[in-house]
Amino acid sequence: MTADAAHPNQAACTRFSIARVVTNNCVEGDLLCGSLVVGAEVSLVPGGRQARITALQAAGATLSRAEPGSLLRVTFSTELPASVGALLAPAQQRPIAADQFQAELHWLGILPLLPGRNYVLQAAHRRVIAHISKLKCRLGIESEQIAATHLLQTESGLCNLALRQEIAFDPYTVNPATGVFTLHDSTSGERVATGKILHALRRASNVHWQATAVDKARRAAIKQQTPRVIWLTGLSASGKSTIANRLEQKLVSRSLHPYLLDGDNVRHGLNRDLGFTDADRVENIRRVAETAKLMLDAGLIVITSFISPFKAEREMARALFEPGEFIEVYVDTHLDVCEQRDPKGLYKKARAGEISNFTGFDSPYEAPEAPDIHLDTSQLSADQAADRILAYLDDLARDPA
Ligand code: ADP
């Protein structure tokens, strides 16, 4: 993280947001505040590289000084590794660059804010995946702090946000132009929150990814297999565990090394602290996806059997993997059929009101729209369904594209 000791006051501060990289030494974007003059030294944030402005153009006219208004083209004396969303600022008055900050959020989404879920954060031209790592409190009418586990539509709260990449910003009180952002649903794009940045948070600076001498490819080569994650999703009693078990047996009989991560089993250990609220379901799937990633890194063919009812979490899981590694399998069984099967008696309990937040009843299931494999269990036995997945894997091995 880089931060200036003394922050500029708003009037003196200049912030230019890059919308497009034209060439190695030319960008286009918006001057959010302040002014730019030809000959001035500017810094790129994040990054910190500096360059001198050699030309300014707006609406086809060449300028010696630019003020906020129309789209501006800026040319530099040297190459600058610019990227969309980065800020240009005076070298002596740089904004902060960080991937975690505390913010005041005003929630607009119809669905409640769920800590742990991925949202798209937009700040000027910057778009980055972010999640709320901690909801600290809800703010009451007189800004009093009230303990909360979620925020509902029109409620405000204080949160810590964690971003996939660093962005440049100023605290809202220092500079409102670069201290505001919006959050958007990662699937629909709908705006779910507006936010004001309060201050940057430091990531534990002593935690680094440790490179290992033996890598995923080497581990997989020893096993003579291509590591994959076969992600089964479907209603309770749709047949996920049954199909996953058959598949695991069939893979083992081909002398391959799979590992089945089963929803119920994981809830006995790793996730035993989690329940079935929406927030806990999000965290359940986040941990499972991270565990599957470690297993894939170990060279295994991972089969996961979790209801995983929300599209956003399945997409979050997919985003952890390389293209082709993550295979989404929709075990499509009608709710009525699941209820008739009811191998664990859960539907009976849900009907009797003994279980709440039950998927399909009082908790939603968002069916995949374009799964990699669609298993219609009214047409396929569990054995045939497992064979369908094997055939898909064989096709992938023949034609990886
Ligand atoms: P889930 O893991 O999705 O909760 P289970 O596999 O535990 O579901 O239970 C599904 C039940 O449905 C099992 O008793 C299984 O034998 C039965 N079943 C009937 N037909 C099928 C089918 N075509 N595919 C998978 N399971 C089926």
Side-chain angles (χ1 to χ4, degrees):
M1 192 181 90
T2 53
D4 277 337
H7 255 287
N9 65 34
Q10 193 195 332
C13 129
T14 292
R15 302 287 184 251
F16 176 88
S17 172
I18 298 172
R20 191 165 84 89
V21 177
V22 182
T23 63
N24 286 340
N25 68 337
C26 179
V27 297
E28 278 180 356
D30 293 299
L31 189 54
L32 304 174
C33 48
S35 58
L36 285 178
V37 290
V38 172
E41 281 282 330
V42 285
S43 277
L44 180 69
V45 186
R49 286 274 291 273
Q50 293 186 18
R52 195 167 48 80
I53 297 174
T54 55
L56 292 168
Q57 287 169 295
T62 301
L63 310 170
S64 57
R65 179 189 190 88
E67 307 287 342
S70 48
L71 185 77
L72 191 64
R73 179 173 282 211
V74 186
T75 309
F76 309 105
S77 54
T78 49
E79 290 186 3
L80 208 58
S83 59
V84 172
L87 293 182
L88 292 175
Q92 303 311 314
Q93 298 180 331
R94 281 184 294 165
I96 292 166
D99 61 2
Q100 291 194 48
F101 55 74
Q102 194 169 103
E104 183 180 325
L105 273 190
H106 181 63
W107 196 253
L108 304 167
I110 297 165
L111 298 174
L113 171 156
L114 294 177
R117 169 167 286 186
N118 282 341
Y119 298 100
V120 176
L121 182 146
Q122 181 142 16
H125 295 293
R126 190 68 167 126
R127 285 172 69 83
V128 58
I129 302 285
H131 71 270
I132 285 100
S133 53
K134 189 169 186 182
L135 172 58
K136 296 181 76 72
C137 63
R138 183 163 68 78
L139 293 172
I141 294 170
E142 287 171 353
S143 292
E144 70 275 23
Q145 302 194 352
I146 305 161
T149 55
H150 57 267
L151 287 185
L152 299 176
Q153 197 171 27
T154 74
E155 288 181 342
S156 295
L158 295 183
C159 308
N160 292 351
L161 279 100
L163 283 52
R164 273 232 187 119
Q165 293 124 33
E166 279 191 336
I167 63 165
F169 61 84
D170 297 290
Y172 180 80
T173 49
V174 172
N175 186 354
T178 47
V180 290
F181 63 92
T182 50
L183 291 182
H184 301 257
D185 185 284
S186 63
T187 38
S188 69
E190 178 198 341
R191 192 175 65 148
V192 293
T194 58
K196 294 176 189 170
I197 300 175
L198 301 179
H199 56 81
L201 295 166
R202 275 177 198 279
R203 199 179 272 278
S205 57
N206 53 350
V207 180
H208 300 284
W209 182 260
Q210 190 66 46
T212 52
V214 178
D215 64 4
K216 176 168 69 179
R218 185 81 196 282
R219 294 185 200 103
I222 297 167
K223 297 191 176 296
Q224 297 184 306
Q225 64 186 26
T226 306
R228 307 239 188 240
V229 172
I230 300 160
W231 188 281
L232 275 62
T233 170
L235 292 168
S236 179
S238 59
K240 299 179 297 297
S241 298
T242 310
I243 295 167
N245 269 292
R246 296 280 162 89
L247 178 63
E248 190 177 30
Q249 285 165 346
K250 284 172 191 272
L251 288 166
V252 166
S253 66
R254 288 180 171 196
S255 300
L256 294 170
H257 191 169
Y259 188 90
L260 170 53
L261 270 171
D262 186 88
D264 289 345
N265 297 350
V266 170
R267 281 184 180 276
H268 278 100
L270 178 66
N271 291 355
R272 72 171 166 215
D273 56 324
L274 300 177
F276 291 89
T277 62
D278 285 0
D280 280 359
R281 285 175 190 271
V282 170
E283 178 60 11
N284 185 40
I285 296 307
R286 190 192 69 78
R287 289 188 202 171
V288 168
E290 290 287 355
T291 307
K293 187 174 166 67
L294 289 174
M295 291 185 156
L296 181 117
D297 200 51
L300 302 180
I301 298 169
V302 190
I303 309 165
T304 68
S305 168
F306 296 82
I307 299 173
S308 40
F310 304 130
K311 249 183 240 166
E313 278 61 63
R314 295 194 302 264
E315 272 167 27
M316 176 270 289
R318 185 188 288 276
L320 290 177
F321 300 96
E322 305 286 329
E325 283 181 345
F326 181 92
I327 299 161
E328 186 180 52
V329 182
Y330 177 25
V331 182
D332 184 2
T333 308
H334 197 276
L335 184 63
D336 296 345
V337 177
C338 294
E339 188 167 359
Q340 277 158 28
R341 288 181 184 166
D342 204 10
K344 296 168 206 146
L346 297 175
Y347 283 89
K348 204 163 159 226
K349 284 190 181 160
R351 280 260 176 246
E354 290 166 31
I355 306 179
S356 55
N357 296 323
F358 194 72
T359 305
F361 284 15
D362 53 351
S363 187
Y365 179 76
E366 299 169 0
E369 278 156 20
D372 298 296
I373 306 176
H374 185 164
L375 301 173
D376 177 354
T377 63
S378 67
Q379 304 293 322
L380 298 168
S381 68
D383 206 54
Q384 288 168 329
D387 282 338
R388 184 66 67 86
I389 301 172
L390 278 182
Y392 184 91
L393 294 177
D394 290 343
D395 283 349
L396 268 188
R398 268 193 297 273
D399 180 13

mmCIF file of all heavy atoms in Angstrom, residues 235-243 305 341 343-344 377 380-382, ligand 1:
data_model
loop_
_atom_site.group_PDB
_atom_site.id
_atom_site.type_symbol
_atom_site.label_atom_id
_atom_site.label_comp_id
_atom_site.label_asym_id
_atom_site.label_seq_id
_atom_site.Cartn_x
_atom_site.Cartn_y
_atom_site.Cartn_z
ATOM 1 N N LEU A 235 -31.057 -29.899 -6.454
ATOM 2 C CA LEU A 235 -31.849 -29.883 -5.223
ATOM 3 C C LEU A 235 -31.434 -31.020 -4.290
ATOM 4 O O LEU A 235 -30.803 -31.992 -4.734
ATOM 5 C CB LEU A 235 -33.330 -30.059 -5.570
ATOM 6 C CG LEU A 235 -33.996 -28.904 -6.329
ATOM 7 C CD1 LEU A 235 -35.355 -29.342 -6.864
ATOM 8 C CD2 LEU A 235 -34.140 -27.692 -5.414
ATOM 9 N N SER A 236 -31.826 -30.917 -3.034
ATOM 10 C CA SER A 236 -31.620 -32.023 -2.104
ATOM 11 C C SER A 236 -32.381 -33.234 -2.635
ATOM 12 O O SER A 236 -33.521 -33.101 -3.098
ATOM 13 C CB SER A 236 -32.161 -31.617 -0.728
ATOM 14 O OG SER A 236 -31.985 -32.675 0.172
ATOM 15 N N ALA A 237 -31.748 -34.392 -2.625
ATOM 16 C CA ALA A 237 -32.325 -35.665 -3.107
ATOM 17 C C ALA A 237 -32.432 -35.721 -4.630
ATOM 18 O O ALA A 237 -33.075 -36.616 -5.179
ATOM 19 C CB ALA A 237 -33.684 -35.953 -2.482
ATOM 20 N N SER A 238 -31.797 -34.793 -5.325
ATOM 21 C CA SER A 238 -31.835 -34.856 -6.791
ATOM 22 C C SER A 238 -30.991 -36.028 -7.309
ATOM 23 O O SER A 238 -31.200 -36.501 -8.428
ATOM 24 C CB SER A 238 -31.341 -33.544 -7.403
ATOM 25 O OG SER A 238 -30.021 -33.266 -6.975
ATOM 26 N N GLY A 239 -30.037 -36.471 -6.497
ATOM 27 C CA GLY A 239 -29.208 -37.610 -6.901
ATOM 28 C C GLY A 239 -27.721 -37.291 -6.989
ATOM 29 O O GLY A 239 -26.939 -38.102 -7.482
ATOM 30 N N LYS A 240 -27.321 -36.148 -6.471
ATOM 31 C CA LYS A 240 -25.914 -35.726 -6.577
ATOM 32 C C LYS A 240 -24.975 -36.751 -5.944
ATOM 33 O O LYS A 240 -24.027 -37.198 -6.584
ATOM 34 C CB LYS A 240 -25.703 -34.356 -5.891
ATOM 35 C CG LYS A 240 -26.501 -33.228 -6.489
ATOM 36 C CD LYS A 240 -26.253 -31.923 -5.756
ATOM 37 C CE LYS A 240 -26.678 -31.935 -4.292
ATOM 38 N NZ LYS A 240 -28.115 -32.126 -4.055
ATOM 39 N N SER A 241 -25.237 -37.112 -4.676
ATOM 40 C CA SER A 241 -24.326 -38.017 -3.969
ATOM 41 C C SER A 241 -24.301 -39.384 -4.647
ATOM 42 O O SER A 241 -23.232 -39.996 -4.782
ATOM 43 C CB SER A 241 -24.763 -38.208 -2.513
ATOM 44 O OG SER A 241 -24.713 -36.983 -1.854
ATOM 45 N N THR A 242 -25.461 -39.845 -5.074
ATOM 46 C CA THR A 242 -25.540 -41.175 -5.692
ATOM 47 C C THR A 242 -24.724 -41.187 -6.990
ATOM 48 O O THR A 242 -23.905 -42.089 -7.218
ATOM 49 C CB THR A 242 -27.022 -41.531 -5.987
ATOM 50 O OG1 THR A 242 -27.778 -41.290 -4.810
ATOM 51 C CG2 THR A 242 -27.178 -42.964 -6.423
ATOM 52 N N ILE A 243 -24.914 -40.171 -7.813
ATOM 53 C CA ILE A 243 -24.189 -40.096 -9.090
ATOM 54 C C ILE A 243 -22.697 -39.880 -8.827
ATOM 55 O O ILE A 243 -21.841 -40.513 -9.457
ATOM 56 C CB ILE A 243 -24.774 -38.965 -9.971
ATOM 57 C CG1 ILE A 243 -26.213 -39.309 -10.357
ATOM 58 C CG2 ILE A 243 -23.915 -38.724 -11.204
ATOM 59 C CD1 ILE A 243 -27.007 -38.151 -10.958
ATOM 60 N N SER A 305 -20.234 -32.531 -4.375
ATOM 61 C CA SER A 305 -21.659 -32.829 -4.341
ATOM 62 C C SER A 305 -22.326 -31.920 -3.306
ATOM 63 O O SER A 305 -22.420 -32.274 -2.127
ATOM 64 C CB SER A 305 -21.811 -34.315 -3.984
ATOM 65 O OG SER A 305 -23.139 -34.607 -3.670
ATOM 66 N N ARG A 341 -38.838 -38.939 -3.243
ATOM 67 C CA ARG A 341 -37.687 -39.792 -2.872
ATOM 68 C C ARG A 341 -37.340 -39.600 -1.393
ATOM 69 O O ARG A 341 -37.233 -40.551 -0.649
ATOM 70 C CB ARG A 341 -36.460 -39.404 -3.692
ATOM 71 C CG ARG A 341 -36.522 -39.806 -5.126
ATOM 72 C CD ARG A 341 -35.225 -39.360 -5.768
ATOM 73 N NE ARG A 341 -35.197 -39.614 -7.188
ATOM 74 C CZ ARG A 341 -34.300 -39.088 -7.999
ATOM 75 N NH1 ARG A 341 -33.361 -38.300 -7.526
ATOM 76 N NH2 ARG A 341 -34.312 -39.363 -9.284
ATOM 77 N N PRO A 343 -34.782 -39.359 0.669
ATOM 78 C CA PRO A 343 -34.044 -40.436 1.349
ATOM 79 C C PRO A 343 -33.656 -40.098 2.790
ATOM 80 O O PRO A 343 -33.497 -41.000 3.615
ATOM 81 C CB PRO A 343 -32.790 -40.620 0.475
ATOM 82 C CG PRO A 343 -32.647 -39.356 -0.299
ATOM 83 C CD PRO A 343 -34.021 -38.818 -0.474
ATOM 84 N N LYS A 344 -33.528 -38.808 3.090
ATOM 85 C CA LYS A 344 -33.117 -38.451 4.464
ATOM 86 C C LYS A 344 -34.282 -37.897 5.270
ATOM 87 O O LYS A 344 -34.079 -37.390 6.387
ATOM 88 C CB LYS A 344 -31.990 -37.406 4.402
ATOM 89 C CG LYS A 344 -30.725 -37.953 3.751
ATOM 90 C CD LYS A 344 -29.734 -36.843 3.429
ATOM 91 C CE LYS A 344 -28.830 -37.244 2.274
ATOM 92 N NZ LYS A 344 -28.468 -36.120 1.430
ATOM 93 N N THR A 377 -32.529 -36.536 -14.755
ATOM 94 C CA THR A 377 -32.599 -37.841 -14.082
ATOM 95 C C THR A 377 -33.946 -38.531 -14.302
ATOM 96 O O THR A 377 -34.127 -39.667 -13.866
ATOM 97 C CB THR A 377 -32.314 -37.725 -12.570
ATOM 98 O OG1 THR A 377 -33.331 -36.915 -11.989
ATOM 99 C CG2 THR A 377 -30.949 -37.144 -12.305
ATOM 100 N N LEU A 380 -32.339 -40.572 -17.134
ATOM 101 C CA LEU A 380 -31.079 -41.303 -16.917
ATOM 102 C C LEU A 380 -31.053 -41.941 -15.532
ATOM 103 O O LEU A 380 -31.430 -41.294 -14.546
ATOM 104 C CB LEU A 380 -29.898 -40.331 -16.992
ATOM 105 C CG LEU A 380 -29.631 -39.590 -18.300
ATOM 106 C CD1 LEU A 380 -28.616 -38.469 -18.068
ATOM 107 C CD2 LEU A 380 -29.103 -40.566 -19.350
ATOM 108 N N SER A 381 -30.608 -43.192 -15.466
ATOM 109 C CA SER A 381 -30.356 -43.792 -14.146
ATOM 110 C C SER A 381 -29.077 -43.156 -13.593
ATOM 111 O O SER A 381 -28.336 -42.490 -14.335
ATOM 112 C CB SER A 381 -30.173 -45.303 -14.286
ATOM 113 O OG SER A 381 -28.973 -45.553 -14.986
ATOM 114 N N ALA A 382 -28.811 -43.420 -12.301
ATOM 115 C CA ALA A 382 -27.592 -42.856 -11.708
ATOM 116 C C ALA A 382 -26.359 -43.371 -12.461
ATOM 117 O O ALA A 382 -25.405 -42.631 -12.700
ATOM 118 C CB ALA A 382 -27.520 -43.228 -10.230
HETATM 119 P P1 ADP B 1 -28.514 -35.599 -3.089
HETATM 120 O O1 ADP B 1 -27.081 -35.952 -2.888
HETATM 121 O O2 ADP B 1 -28.749 -34.820 -4.340
HETATM 122 O O3 ADP B 1 -29.182 -35.012 -1.905
HETATM 123 P P2 ADP B 1 -28.921 -38.457 -2.951
HETATM 124 O O4 ADP B 1 -28.020 -39.022 -4.001
HETATM 125 O O5 ADP B 1 -28.483 -38.489 -1.528
HETATM 126 O O6 ADP B 1 -29.306 -36.963 -3.401
HETATM 127 O O7 ADP B 1 -30.347 -39.133 -3.013
HETATM 128 C C1 ADP B 1 -31.019 -39.341 -4.231
HETATM 129 C C2 ADP B 1 -31.926 -40.557 -4.094
HETATM 130 O O8 ADP B 1 -32.591 -40.718 -5.349
HETATM 131 C C3 ADP B 1 -31.160 -41.831 -3.843
HETATM 132 O O9 ADP B 1 -31.889 -42.613 -2.941
HETATM 133 C C4 ADP B 1 -31.087 -42.473 -5.223
HETATM 134 O O10 ADP B 1 -30.997 -43.894 -5.157
HETATM 135 C C5 ADP B 1 -32.413 -42.054 -5.831
HETATM 136 N N1 ADP B 1 -32.458 -42.000 -7.307
HETATM 137 C C6 ADP B 1 -33.464 -42.485 -8.054
HETATM 138 N N2 ADP B 1 -33.247 -42.294 -9.376
HETATM 139 C C7 ADP B 1 -32.072 -41.652 -9.464
HETATM 140 C C8 ADP B 1 -31.307 -41.180 -10.587
HETATM 141 N N3 ADP B 1 -31.721 -41.319 -11.844
HETATM 142 N N4 ADP B 1 -30.145 -40.544 -10.311
HETATM 143 C C9 ADP B 1 -29.714 -40.375 -9.048
HETATM 144 N N5 ADP B 1 -30.392 -40.807 -7.952
HETATM 145 C C10 ADP B 1 -31.570 -41.456 -8.151
#
